[in-house]
Amino acid sequence: MTSMTVNGRPIRFRMDPDTPLLWALRDAANLTGTKYGCGEGDCGACMVHVDGEALRSCLITIAEAEGRFITTIEGLSRDRSNPVQQAMVAEQAVQCGFCTPGIIMAASALLAKNGAPSEADVKAAIPNLCRCGVYPRLVRAVERAGRVANRRETISAAPAPGISTQDAAREVPALSVPEE
Ligand code: FES
Ligand code: FES
């Protein structure tokens, strides 16, 4: 039994302790926003926050995550109101979207430490791969998100594409793995 806090809720996984955190989140906790890309630490699609640090969940076992605080894209903001999410949409830095959750988790961890990152800072902190090639837009989005987070800019409050007002207000479903 491996215990940790995921998106603010205690959770215990009845799984092999060597299970990668990625698979525990996706298969047991049904948090499928965290994506599987390479499984080898190269692409960043599986990025989550572990105690506030952006880490690749395919490279961490649940034993290594024991007792730690995990945040996935589902826990970052329920209604996609996080400045990085808003800026990614506003700068059209979302194409197919497969890499987007990992990028957002890496970017939000960066902005928590550095509210005004340079282009070089963004490239160093977000090595995520994007097969759609959104890199220039990604840099603009993260710089813009920093300005929004620092209240030097606002982004239109228009609803994010693909999410209804009702969905935004809906409670996040309980994790499917019960605590004992
Ligand atoms: S799936 Fe984890 S880095 Fe690619
Ligand atoms: S937006 Fe398609 S992989 Fe990045």
Side-chain angles (χ1 to χ4, degrees), residues 93-100 103 129-134:
V94 180
Q95 295 298 307
C96 79
F98 192 85
C99 70
T100 307
I103 285 175
L129 301 181
C130 171
R131 61 191 170 191
C132 300
V134 300

Side-chain angles (χ1 to χ4, degrees), residues 17-129:
D18 288 334
T19 303
L21 177 61
L22 169 64
W23 295 118
L25 293 171
R26 286 184 58 86
D27 290 352
N30 200 29
L31 293 168
T32 55
T34 303
K35 301 304 182 196
Y36 167 61
C38 64
E40 298 179 344
D42 291 329
C43 71
C46 64
M47 204 83 86
V48 298
H49 293 178
V50 179
D51 294 337
E53 184 182 359
L55 296 178
R56 294 163 173 82
S57 60
C58 70
L59 296 183
I60 311 165
T61 65
I62 56 173
E64 291 168 329
E66 170 102 47
R68 302 178 79 176
F69 290 81
I70 313 299
T71 304
T72 70
I73 188 70
E74 291 90 347
L76 192 66
S77 72
R78 195 167 70 197
D79 58 358
R80 303 182 198 174
S81 61
N82 181 280
V84 179
Q85 292 170 301
Q86 291 185 333
M88 289 286 286
V89 172
E91 291 292 340
Q92 300 184 29
V94 180
Q95 295 298 307
C96 79
F98 192 85
C99 70
T100 307
I103 285 175
I104 289 172
M105 298 312 287
S108 55
L110 167 64
L111 292 178
K113 296 177 186 162
N114 177 0
S118 65
E119 180 174 343
D121 293 334
V122 172
K123 288 180 174 173
I126 310 175
N128 303 46
L129 301 181

